[in-house]
Each structure stands twice: as C-alpha cells, then as structure tokens.
Amino acid sequence: MKQFSLRMPVRYLINACLIIAFLIIGNIITQGELLSRAQNNIIIQVGFFIILAVSLNLSAGYLGQLPLGHAGFMAVGAYTGAIFWRMGVLPDGASVVVGLILAGLAAAVFGIIIGIPALRLKGDYLAIITLGFGEMIRVLINNLPSITGGAQGLAQIPRHSTFLVVYICMVVCCLVIHFIMKSRHGRAILSIRDNEIATESCGVNTTYYKVMAFVVSAFFAGIAGALYAGFLGILVPSDFDFMMSINILMIVVLGGMGSMLGSIVGAIVLTSMPLLMVDLARYRMIVYALLLIIVMIFKPSGLMGTYDFSLSAIIEKIGRRFSSGKVEKEKAQKGGDGNA
Amino acid sequence: MLILDQLINALQLGSIYALVALGYSMVYGIIKLLNFAHGDVIMVGGYIAIFSLAAGHHPALAFFLIVFGCTLLAVVMEKLAYTPLRTAPRISVLITAIGISILLQNLAQFFFEARPLPLHIPLPTGSINIAGTTLAYTMIITIMASVLSMLALNFVVSRTRLGKAMRAVSEDGEAAQLMGINVNNVVTFTFAVGAALAGIGAILYFVRFPVVTPTVGAMLGLKAFIAAVLGGIGSIPGAMFGGFAIGILEVLVTAAGFSRWTDGAVFLVLIIVLLVRPTGLMGRKIVEKV
C-alpha cells in the first residue's frame, strides 16, 4: 500500500505560503496603527534574537559544542555594519544589503580565525576558549577608539532595521540552516554530535564540518549584530559582554538544543516576556537562571527536545490517518467475506 | 627598588588568584566539572563580610563567618544542583554551573542593588622597611596567609585518609567506589575545601580591592580559572604556579603602561596555552577512549 505523502514541490509551496502569510500579517501589524511603538520594537527585537538563537543552535544544538562567545561575533557584525552604514557610500537600499552581507562576512572571517584553533578542543575547553575570544573582541573594540568609538560607543547609526529587513534576514537564516541540516552536510554535523570518533572513522572530515557549522553560525550572528546596530542606532562595547552570550545560550537551551522550533519559540517567549511585563523585569534573570538549572536537572534536552515543527508532516499525518481508516474498513469487509 | 616593589605586588595578587584557582582545579580534577559559580562564592563572601562587620563582630569572628558561609554555600550548591547531575552529559552540568553563577549574581543584585558597596577589612595597617623596600603589612599577611593555606591543603591531600580518598576518586571514580570509598562524600568534601580556600581568597581580595558588587566574582573567577588552566587543570601545584604567573603577568602589563589591556593579556595567555598545550604546564595528558 502506498502511504499518503506530499511531494517536495507541494511542501515548498506550503512553506512559501506560510512565510508570505506571516510577512503580510507582520507588515499589516507593524505598518498600521495597531500596536504602540514599544510593541513594534519588541517584534523587531524578537526577530534578531531568533536569528541569534537559530544560528547558535547550529553550533550548540546540532554540532553539540558549547560556544560561549556568540556575542563576540555579533559585536563584529554590529560594528562592521554600523561603520559601513555611517560612511553612507551607497544609496539607502543597496547600502542595507551590502552592509548586512559585509557584517556577516566579517563575522564569518572571525569565525574561521577562532574556529580552526578552538575546534581542536572539546567540551569545557572549547567553551572557555570561545569565551576568551569573545572577551578579547570586546577588549579590542574598547581599546580601538579611532575605529569603534571605544567605550563611549558609536552613535548616529542609520536605523535600517525595519520589520521587512529583519523578517527577510530571519527567513533567510532559518531557511539556510534548515537546508544545511537536511543535506548530507547536516547529517555529518549531527553524527559528529552523536559520536565524533565513529564519524571520523566513517571517513567524514570532522574538522571541516565543525568549522563549517561554526562559520555559518558566526555569519548569521554577524548579520543579527548589524540588525541590532541598525535597530538601536547606538553601539557600546558593553552590550556584547558575556551576559549577551549567555542570554542567547539560554534561549537555545531552554527551547531545546537541536530544535529550530525550540530556538524560535524560546526567542519569542524569552525576549518578549520581560518587555511585556515590565513590573516583573526585576525577577527576570533570577527566574531564567532557576529555569536553566531545573530544566538541566529534569529534562536536559530542553523543553522542546529535538522536536521540529513541520506543517507538511502534520498534513501528511492527517492524510495518513484518513486513508488508513479507509484501508482498515476495506480490510474488515474483506475479512468478513472470507469468513462467510 | 621599583622592581622589588612590583614583584611583591605581583606576589600578593598572584597568591589571591592561586587560592581561587585551587578550588577550580580540585573540583575539576575530581568530577571533571568546571564550576562556573566558584567566582561568585567570593562575591557572597564579600557581602557576608559587609554584614558581619557592620553588625560589629570581632574581625576574627567575621573571618570565620566568611569562610564558613562560603563553604556552606558550596556544599548546598553541590547537593542541590550537581549531585542530581552526576551521571548527566558534561554539557548539561556545565550549563547548570553557568545557571548557578547567573542565579547568584542576580540574587545579589536583587537584594543589594547593583551599586558598589565599600568594604573595609580590618587588618593592621602600616608598613616596614626592608632594604629600602616598603612592605605593607597587608601584603605580608596576604602572602603568608595564602602560603599557609596551601601548605595546609597539601598536608590534607597528601597525608590524611580523606586526602587519599580524594586522590583515588580523581584517579578513577568507579574503581574508588568499588574500594569502598563514598564518592559522594569525597566530592562534597572537595567542594567544601575549595570554597573554604575561596573564602580566604575573598578576605585577601577585598583587602586589596575594597569594593563589593554583584559581579565582582565573575572576572576574578575567570582569571583564576585561566590560572588553573595555565598550571594544568586538576593539578594542585599547577594551580598555585598558574595563580602566581597570572598575577605577575598582570602587574607586568600594568607596569609597562598598558593597564587597559590587562584583561586582554590574560585571555591571550589562555588562548595560547589551550592551543599549544591544552593540558597546561603541569597537567597530565588525557587519552581519549572510544
């Protein structure tokens, strides 16, 4: 019996419809007078935190390492984008695109520089060395005032991060990481997480895939950083301290390491909650830290585990139930005939 | 005698780092856990000192309360958060440790606000002159106290039953358990000893930098951890050596006029050590098993 399943073009069509639907809904909400300015800002912030979480999930969840320097890559991207935008060499539209790509590339270059040596190490050591690199980047930014504005920061950055820009970047980030994970590269990355030695003995170049995951992760962190710069309009090095890395890590861990849906839901909940409930903001970090400890003790895979949402899969499931119901009826009738 | 002054200065700073680094190194040696919250134990020690001294306790009692408070905190931490994770993957334990560190920092921020509180540790002031060098009493006391603590630790680890058990567990936890060693108790004891050393380190640290903030332990902890890695994590003499080395490095960089780069220099040392010799200068090589 042939199982009910959707063909790939149909699946892509469903996803494309979803993406466009969200875009239109989002645009209507943010363009109209429906929401206050503060609420609009929350939506944009959620957007770049989704990029940060999904990109960290690639190296933390799928690759199974624990990098603690994500804020460093974000800082590289933020400053690259901000400096480029402040120069204003290109007309606005082109400037946004080129600035974002430059920010991503700069962060990716740092990703290669940091990744190749750091990924020779494992576990705790990798965590510490990435933390060290992240802090180094901050020290560098702090001590190069002629380029980065030093501790005073960089002001008057053109505010390019509209809903549309953030949304497109978010979709591109999620799609690219999704496609990587569905390809043979993704399977190599997952198998490194599950057993690195076995992977290596199967002939997979583990170093290459580790660095690749790390660099893609850094690239999108850089883009998110540029969006952050274009959203705030002002950058100070202390924005990108260890706590920022931890904030992103919390989103990934609580959402579920290795689940893109987990990262997205985690980013939405953890970013919007404190902004919506200002009265409770004082308790925010205490609650998050407690949650982190409790989740690690009772459900170390995170709230979503490795579950990933797929509308096509749900439609298929419904379709299968429907068709298998019919088959069973037929079987029952046949069985009845046989007995008679 | 500028060089001698700087050297004494470096020894004072280094002995503080060494005391804190010992806690990291011992815990890592026993259960392969990077105790991120170790630095924050020092912050808690600082707040205990403020309250104890404000309540008019005798300094000796205050010192006892600091060390006792730090030890108690570490034991509670170990029992509540780390014991349930004894068999969990290393990454979960590491994340838990980060969670505890953030929890302590934010609880402190919640109760005492983020504003820095001054803390004056009552130690004899004044100085003596030796061969043209002025030595403040506090410097001498710091160096003496840390050397004595390290000697005591060395005695405990190498000469007592519990020390023997500690060495056995760090060699091979399962085999130690089969030999009738209560591994849980040994781990708790290790946490307690590490935290007691951190408590002494806290007193000495606040003598030198008399301000307490909720995040005061974070940077100190990080640098002490780097010292432990430099010396070879899991090795007790390595931690002492690493602490002094980091202290000397910081003082040198500051003396050379690059005071804004001290943090950067320490991180650079970490990166170089991890790349060139990840097991540290005195660490044992870890063989990877399938």
Side-chain angles (χ1 to χ4, degrees):
Chain A
M1 187 201 73
K2 213 181 125 202
Q3 271 204 328
F4 177 82
S5 63
L6 295 170
R7 272 177 307 167
M8 283 320 276
V10 184
R11 287 170 170 238
Y12 286 136
L13 198 67
I14 291 173
N15 289 336
C17 289
L18 258 185
I19 290 167
I20 292 168
F22 270 117
L23 174 63
I24 293 170
I25 294 170
N27 238 344
I28 291 172
I29 290 175
T30 48
Q31 295 298 319
E33 302 283 303
L34 280 165
L35 296 177
S36 68
R37 211 184 136 79
Q39 283 164 326
N40 271 336
N41 285 346
I42 293 175
I43 292 181
I44 291 175
Q45 264 165 291
V46 166
F48 55 69
F49 267 102
I50 288 179
I51 303 179
L52 287 169
V54 169
S55 62
L56 181 66
N57 188 29
L58 179 61
S59 50
Y62 294 131
L63 187 62
Q65 308 294 337
L66 190 63
L68 295 177
H70 216 52
F73 297 127
M74 190 185 165
V76 171
Y79 275 90
T80 311
I83 291 166
F84 179 78
W85 284 335
R86 267 162 54 107
M87 291 194 301
V89 283
L90 289 174
D92 253 11
S95 177
V96 174
V97 178
V98 175
L100 284 173
I101 292 173
L102 274 181
L105 287 179
V109 168
F110 271 79
I112 295 174
I113 298 172
I114 294 169
I116 290 178
L119 289 166
R120 283 172 49 197
L121 307 163
K122 286 201 188 77
D124 311 344
Y125 285 113
L126 183 116
I128 289 300
I129 200 169
T130 47
L131 195 166
F133 272 118
E135 293 289 307
M136 281 286 274
I137 289 175
R138 204 162 55 86
V139 172
L140 275 179
I141 292 173
N142 241 328
N143 288 320
L144 294 173
S146 53
I147 307 169
T148 60
Q152 265 100 49
L154 209 59
Q156 290 165 339
I157 302 159
R159 294 177 182 243
H160 286 316
S161 302
T162 56
F163 173 77
L164 188 68
V165 173
V166 174
Y167 184 80
I168 292 173
C169 289
M170 189 189 86
V171 169
V172 169
C173 169
C174 291
L175 279 182
V176 167
I177 290 178
H178 176 78
F179 286 140
I180 289 178
M181 290 319 294
K182 291 289 169 205
S183 70
R184 56 180 296 163
H185 307 293
R187 288 192 294 277
I189 290 170
L190 281 180
S191 65
I192 291 174
R193 175 186 71 184
D194 293 337
N195 191 333
E196 193 175 332
I197 297 173
T199 311
E200 203 163 7
S201 52
C202 290
V204 175
N205 186 347
T206 52
T207 312
Y208 170 78
Y209 281 110
K210 276 156 92 176
V211 174
M212 185 186 100
F214 204 68
V215 169
V216 172
S217 170
F219 178 83
F220 285 112
I223 288 185
L227 292 173
Y228 179 83
F231 167 71
L232 285 182
I234 178 162
L235 286 179
V236 280
S238 57
D239 286 350
F240 305 103
D241 60 358
F242 180 55
M243 277 322 285
M244 178 57 99
S245 300
I246 291 297
N247 272 333
I248 308 166
L249 186 71
M250 270 187 187
I251 294 174
V252 174
V253 172
L254 292 181
M257 304 233 276
S259 158
M260 189 176 284
L261 176 71
S263 301
I264 294 173
V265 173
I268 294 171
V269 174
L270 293 195
T271 313
S272 58
M273 287 270 266
L275 295 169
L276 288 174
M277 292 183 281
V278 184
D279 300 340
L280 300 179
R282 283 187 73 195
Y283 305 94
R284 172 176 153 248
M285 287 312 285
I286 297 176
V287 173
Y288 287 1
L290 275 177
L291 262 181
L292 202 62
I293 299 168
I294 292 168
V295 165
M296 276 302 114
I297 292 175
F298 293 107
K299 196 170 184 312
S301 54
L303 294 179
M304 293 276 177
T306 50
Y307 171 78
D308 255 330
F309 174 77
S310 156
L311 187 64
S312 322
I314 290 174
I315 294 174
E316 276 179 356
K317 212 172 172 184
I318 296 168
R320 266 179 210 154
R321 186 162 297 163
F322 186 69
S323 55
S324 70
K326 254 197 304 197
V327 173
E328 265 163 33
K329 257 187 209 162
E330 279 167 19
K331 259 191 194 163
Q333 275 177 354
K334 267 186 196 164
D337 288 344
N339 280 341
Chain B
M1 296 301 272
L2 194 67
I3 297 171
L4 207 58
D5 277 345
Q6 295 290 4
L7 187 67
I8 301 280
N9 194 6
L11 279 182
Q12 186 195 7
L13 192 62
S15 55
I16 297 169
Y17 285 143
L19 279 179
V20 184
L22 280 170
Y24 278 109
S25 209
M26 281 175 12
V27 168
Y28 194 90
I30 287 225
I31 49 170
K32 299 282 168 289
L33 158 68
L34 203 173
N35 186 8
F36 247 93
H38 191 62
D40 300 295
V41 168
I42 291 161
M43 175 269 295
V44 174
Y47 283 106
I48 295 175
I50 289 180
F51 284 101
S52 169
L53 291 172
H57 291 160
H58 187 272
L61 177 61
F63 293 164
F64 171 76
L65 283 178
I66 295 168
V67 175
F68 181 73
C70 288
T71 312
L72 192 68
L73 175 68
V75 171
V76 170
M77 204 158 78
E78 200 268 327
K79 285 283 172 224
L80 286 184
Y82 296 144
T83 307
L85 289 167
R86 199 51 54 76
T87 53
R90 297 254 293 273
I91 198 164
S92 316
V93 189
L94 188 58
I95 292 171
T96 311
I98 294 173
I100 294 174
S101 165
I102 300 166
L103 181 67
L104 288 179
Q105 283 177 22
N106 284 284
L107 281 176
Q109 194 153 350
F110 184 76
F111 287 118
F112 312 119
E113 313 286 314
R115 131 184 80 91
L117 296 176
L119 166 60
H120 174 70
I121 304 259
L123 280 185
T125 50
S127 55
I128 48 169
N129 248 309
I130 300 172
T133 314
T134 4
L135 284 179
Y137 284 139
T138 52
M139 283 193 171
I140 301 171
I141 291 172
T142 303
I143 295 171
M144 292 285 281
S146 51
V147 169
L148 281 179
S149 317
M150 288 175 207
L151 286 178
L153 174 73
N154 207 29
F155 176 79
V156 169
V157 172
S158 59
R159 293 293 158 84
T160 61
R161 259 177 90 81
L162 216 44
K164 207 179 203 175
M166 274 167 71
R167 281 180 287 145
V169 174
S170 92
E171 194 77 31
D172 186 334
E174 261 175 52
Q177 196 156 25
L178 292 175
M179 296 295 131
I181 294 173
N182 187 335
V183 173
N184 273 335
N185 283 357
V186 172
V187 171
T188 310
F189 177 71
T190 310
F191 267 89
V193 172
L197 291 174
I200 299 170
I203 300 169
L204 303 176
Y205 179 82
F206 291 115
V207 168
R208 191 180 161 121
F209 305 101
V211 177
V212 188
T213 61
T215 51
V216 70
M219 205 30 139
L220 171 62
L222 216 51
K223 284 181 182 167
F225 174 76
I226 294 172
V229 172
L230 172 65
I233 199 151
S235 143
I236 290 175
M240 298 178 193
F241 169 80
F244 285 114
I246 294 288
I248 291 169
L249 174 79
E250 276 206 356
V251 170
L252 272 183
V253 172
T254 313
F258 297 103
S259 56
R260 290 198 305 175
W261 292 92
T262 44
D263 293 354
V266 175
F267 283 117
L268 196 66
V269 166
L270 169 79
I271 291 163
I272 294 170
V273 170
L274 285 184
L275 293 183
V276 179
R277 203 182 150 87
T279 47
L281 297 176
M282 298 187 189
R284 275 175 304 174
K285 197 163 167 32
I286 304 154
V287 183
E288 198 175 337
K289 287 180 221 158
V290 180

